[in-house]
Amino acid sequence: MATTPVRLRGALDSVPAYVAGKPAAAREGQTVYKVSSNENPYPPLPSVRAVIEEAAGTVNRYPDMGITELTEALSEHLDVPPERIACGTGSVGVLGQIIQATCDDGDEVVFAWRSFEAYPIVVALAGAESVRVPLTRDHRHDLDAMVAAVTDRTRVLLVCTPNNPTGPTVTHAELLDLVARVPEHVLVVIDEAYLEFVEDDGSQDPVRALEIHQAHPNVAVVRTFSKAYGLAGLRVGYAVAHEPVAEALRKTATPFGVNSLAQVAAVASLGAQEELGERVAALVGERRRVVEALTAGGWEMPQSGANFVWFPLGERTPDFVAACADAGLSVRPYGTEGVRVTIGEPEANDRLVEVARSFACLEG
Ligand SMILES: *Cc1c(COP(=O)(O)O)cnc(C)c1O
């Protein structure tokens, strides 16, 4: 790399690069699918697209800096006071604000690993230290070990449920127990990027994060419009936190960060719950179909509460990725740990099942 006389922050040396999901390589005579970034395969709803197009006519103006309408709409939708809501440029933006608002140099942030790619990045950018607590053998958060990893320097403990990239959820009882064992000055952040895809068949005790937030001043919830709501390209997410924390988050926001198209699209999406809910239900149905087919084919995979499935392939990871590419599927490998594949269009899901079946046979 070329040198520079400019003094850059040393902390940047420990910032890992974000490995984004690759687009599928074009192939002659074959439709290709990008199932590497947990995106929603559905294009925007016509009603949402219409407000985006209308707002396009006013992009010479700055957006509403107070994000008033969206905050009000969220307040109503979630039944929490607007003072407890802080929006940001995607929940990755919000997570960055959380670390900036809580961590000085050398402070620690505890999270499970593997988990969301962006965690170590936002932590390192703030000059803080990532404390990665390995998942259990069944690909879940090891909550006992996470509690044990808390030190005097810990400022934040992140819980990702369902966990990206492995899929399992943390239960309500487990999370309550965790919060009871973590010191009150540590902010517990529940990242619910995939909340809408969690199925509640009565057996799984899914987290009721807002309820836990309500009862504990050190619990915040982070959500996004990128996944179930299908607005990944617009970059908008939010935190629900107690007022002093939410105010600190608003202070750390990039001024005018949440753009005007994102603001109106998010409000319109909150008003289109029913149509969006149908899409989510269809994706959850597809996930069930894929998992059943794979399980019937002998695959053992962790239960997913999200819009993706995890193949714990170890050393066979690159071979599986190559087999998927041959079938026109761009998937997301994680070193030699495994492969995450997004539930996409039915055709993409069919191909995944087919690839996985013949792969299991070849190896088997
Ligand atoms: C996708 C994702 C997010 C959301 O990202 P945005 O910045 O809102 O697009 C947050 N957390 C996890 C775990 C995710 O997988």
Side-chain angles (χ1 to χ4, degrees), residues 257-278:
V258 180
N259 70 72
S260 40
L261 307 188
Q263 292 191 32
V264 295
V267 171
S269 299
L270 287 172
Q273 293 296 323
E274 208 165 303
E275 287 160 283
L276 289 168
E278 283 167 16

Side-chain angles (χ1 to χ4, degrees), residues 20-24 32-39 41 328-331 342 344-345 348:
K22 288 199 184 74
V32 294
Y33 295 96
K34 181 184 179 211
V35 281
S36 54
S37 298
N38 295 345
E39 292 153 338
L329 298 176
S330 169
V331 300
T342 307
E345 296 83 344

Side-chain angles (χ1 to χ4, degrees), residues 89-93 95 116 119 160 164 191 193-194 224 226-227 235-236:
T89 54
S91 45
V92 171
L95 287 161
F116 185 34
Y119 296 157
C160 186
N164 175 8
D191 183 345
Y194 302 98
T224 178
S226 294
K227 309 284 162 54
R235 316 304 307 126
V236 54

Side-chain angles (χ1 to χ4, degrees), residues 73-300:
L74 282 168
S75 167
E76 203 160 297
H77 177 64
L78 304 169
D79 194 22
V80 298
E83 295 76 22
R84 289 199 190 179
I85 294 167
C87 298
T89 54
S91 45
V92 171
V94 176
L95 287 161
Q97 290 167 247
I98 288 174
I99 308 304
Q100 278 190 52
T102 53
C103 292
D104 284 315
D105 269 9
D107 283 340
E108 294 170 359
V109 178
V110 173
F111 51 86
W113 199 249
R114 282 263 171 199
S115 190
F116 185 34
E117 183 90 46
Y119 296 157
I121 298 176
V122 294
V123 169
L125 279 176
E129 301 285 333
S130 287
V131 178
R132 298 172 176 82
V133 179
L135 297 171
T136 61
R137 285 172 53 127
D138 52 354
H139 316 284
R140 307 185 74 235
H141 280 43
D142 187 342
L143 297 172
D144 288 336
M146 290 176 75
V147 171
V150 171
T151 72
D152 282 351
R153 297 302 305 257
T154 308
R155 296 292 173 271
V156 179
L157 187 149
L158 299 168
V159 177
C160 186
T161 178
N163 188 50
N164 175 8
T166 57
T169 51
V170 173
T171 69
H172 190 69
E174 286 170 336
L175 202 43
L176 275 180
D177 180 61
L178 171 99
V179 171
R181 293 156 70 200
V182 168
E184 256 199 326
H185 61 266
V186 173
L187 181 65
V188 176
V189 176
I190 309 171
D191 183 345
E192 294 198 302
Y194 302 98
L195 164 77
E196 294 84 355
F197 300 104
V198 175
E199 262 188 308
D200 184 9
D201 63 1
S203 72
Q204 288 176 57
D205 188 27
V207 170
R208 301 186 296 281
L210 288 177
E211 193 180 304
I212 301 180
H213 151 78
Q214 200 71 27
H216 296 275
N218 64 324
V219 174
V221 180
V222 171
R223 292 182 182 168
T224 178
F225 286 94
S226 294
K227 309 284 162 54
Y229 286 87
L231 299 179
L234 284 176
R235 316 304 307 126
V236 54
Y238 61 94
V240 178
H242 287 265
E243 206 174 321
V245 177
E247 199 183 317
L249 298 185
R250 286 190 289 268
K251 276 188 191 168
T252 55
T254 302
F256 304 109
V258 180
N259 70 72
S260 40
L261 307 188
Q263 292 191 32
V264 295
V267 171
S269 299
L270 287 172
Q273 293 296 323
E274 208 165 303
E275 287 160 283
L276 289 168
E278 283 167 16
R279 292 176 162 193
V280 168
L283 290 169
V284 169
E286 279 293 285
R287 179 185 71 205
R288 196 179 309 126
R289 179 173 79 81
V290 167
V291 169
E292 276 168 13
L294 293 172
T295 312
W299 284 90
E300 282 178 33

